[in-house]
Amino acid sequence: MTRRAKHWQNAIIEMNLSPRGLPRAFLLAVDGSPSPCPDGHHVQWDVVMGEERAVSIAKRPRARKRRFYEMGPDYGVGGKAGYWLEDESILPPYKVFRLPASTTPAPFVVDRSAGSLPIDLEPYYGWWLVSDRTKAVLERLDPGAFVFVPCTVRVPHGSYDGPDYWLCDVVRVLDALDESQSRLTIRTEDNPRSLQFGKKVYLTMLGSKLVFTEAAVGEAHIFRMAHSEADVVCDQDMKDACKSAGLMHSQCRSY
């Protein structure tokens, strides 16, 4: 008998059933050394002790990539708004995009006869008008991402007994887009009337694909996208938190 034949004669073939009822087989060389199979391929045999079993590296689960979404008000909800800001002079100048934390309380009027009342997340200029419970969800998950300005609310007749509201702005801006993996238009703004004149801007449209660099996002759950600050991006955790809380008039659309 040749040396190779003796080596294979000493191999142990163990056949049994896996926990799922599927057959499994182990070829165990007694010395645990690399052994040539009959077909000429080299295999590193693993010694299996007791109930332990070898797991192929190729079958190990891969870490799941974070998913990101465009977050904002649900513009599909129609109807005329029955609320407005009485004194817009408290708002920052036109060229200031982000809402300063020092903004004085915003005086709102709500009138059901004029239109629909605010719910949990409504658009207001470039910011959001959010309910108390929306504020609680956002602050709990990512407190450093927002500025909240309290609102005073009155009704035309009688006294207001509804929920508290806040002007909310996502003030974190991250340059986290992986341009090489994304599909969108990137250009320099050439309109001299634009506040972005001479700057790089991102333009997304139907069919665009946005991929973000996780190292640049870090532990953030929500942020505005640099070069396109009108776009608010959130991750799966933020989306799930809003859904679990049952927040109305908000939506997260997949990129």
Side-chain angles (χ1 to χ4, degrees):
M1 182 179 293
T2 66
R3 183 176 181 181
R4 176 180 296 187
K6 288 181 179 180
H7 190 86
W8 280 96
Q9 189 178 40
N10 289 333
I12 302 171
I13 303 179
E14 177 185 332
M15 296 291 294
N16 60 5
L17 295 179
S18 68
R20 295 187 179 182
L22 301 176
R24 64 182 181 184
F26 299 103
L27 293 177
L28 310 178
V30 280
D31 59 359
S33 61
S35 305
C37 294
D39 60 2
H41 295 288
H42 283 74
V43 176
Q44 174 70 49
W45 301 113
D46 293 321
V47 178
V48 179
M49 302 297 292
E51 294 299 321
E52 295 179 358
R53 59 194 179 113
V55 178
S56 170
I57 294 178
K59 293 183 179 180
R60 291 177 184 172
R62 296 181 179 178
R64 296 181 62 183
K65 287 187 176 182
R66 292 168 71 184
R67 297 187 64 181
F68 294 98
Y69 303 85
E70 179 186 6
M71 180 176 174
D74 184 358
Y75 290 100
V77 179
K80 182 181 177 181
Y83 53 91
W84 60 91
L85 186 62
E86 279 193 294
D87 181 10
E88 294 191 353
S89 67
I90 69 161
L91 300 178
Y94 171 65
K95 293 185 179 182
V96 177
F97 295 139
R98 304 281 61 86
L99 190 65
S102 58
T103 304
T104 58
F108 271 86
V109 178
V110 294
D111 184 357
R112 187 183 298 274
S113 65
S116 59
L117 301 184
I119 308 296
D120 286 317
L121 196 153
E122 309 288 351
Y124 205 83
Y125 291 110
W127 312 297
W128 299 339
L129 181 64
V130 302
S131 64
D132 230 10
R133 69 173 189 156
T134 302
K135 177 178 181 286
V137 172
L138 301 181
E139 274 191 319
R140 181 174 67 249
L141 197 61
D142 200 343
F146 305 95
V147 160
F148 294 98
V149 174
C151 299
T152 60
V153 182
R154 74 172 185 86
V155 293
H157 308 288
S159 58
Y160 175 73
D161 60 355
D164 291 332
Y165 286 93
W166 305 77
L167 277 180
C168 169
D169 189 15
V170 181
V171 294
R172 177 187 291 133
V173 180
L174 296 180
D175 191 356
L177 187 71
D178 186 339
E179 295 181 355
S180 64
Q181 298 296 318
S182 299
R183 183 169 60 246
L184 75 165
T185 300
I186 304 174
R187 66 181 180 85
T188 300
E189 179 57 65
D190 57 1
N191 182 357
R193 295 184 178 181
S194 171
L195 296 177
Q196 301 298 320
F197 178 65
K199 299 179 181 179
K200 179 168 72 172
V201 294
Y202 293 151
L203 299 177
T204 59
M205 58 195 71
L206 186 65
S208 293
K209 172 188 174 183
L210 302 185
V211 177
F212 298 94
T213 304
E214 294 193 34
V217 176
E219 297 182 356
H221 294 290
I222 190 169
F223 59 93
R224 289 186 182 273
M225 189 164 59
H227 314 299
S228 183
E229 291 190 22
D231 294 322
V232 175
V233 181
C234 77
D235 68 357
Q236 188 71 48
D237 290 343
M238 180 65 76
K239 178 179 183 292
D240 291 344
C242 293
K243 182 177 180 180
S244 297
L247 300 186
M248 300 176 64
H249 289 195
S250 67
Q251 66 174 359
C252 297
R253 297 189 302 175
S254 181
Y255 280 118

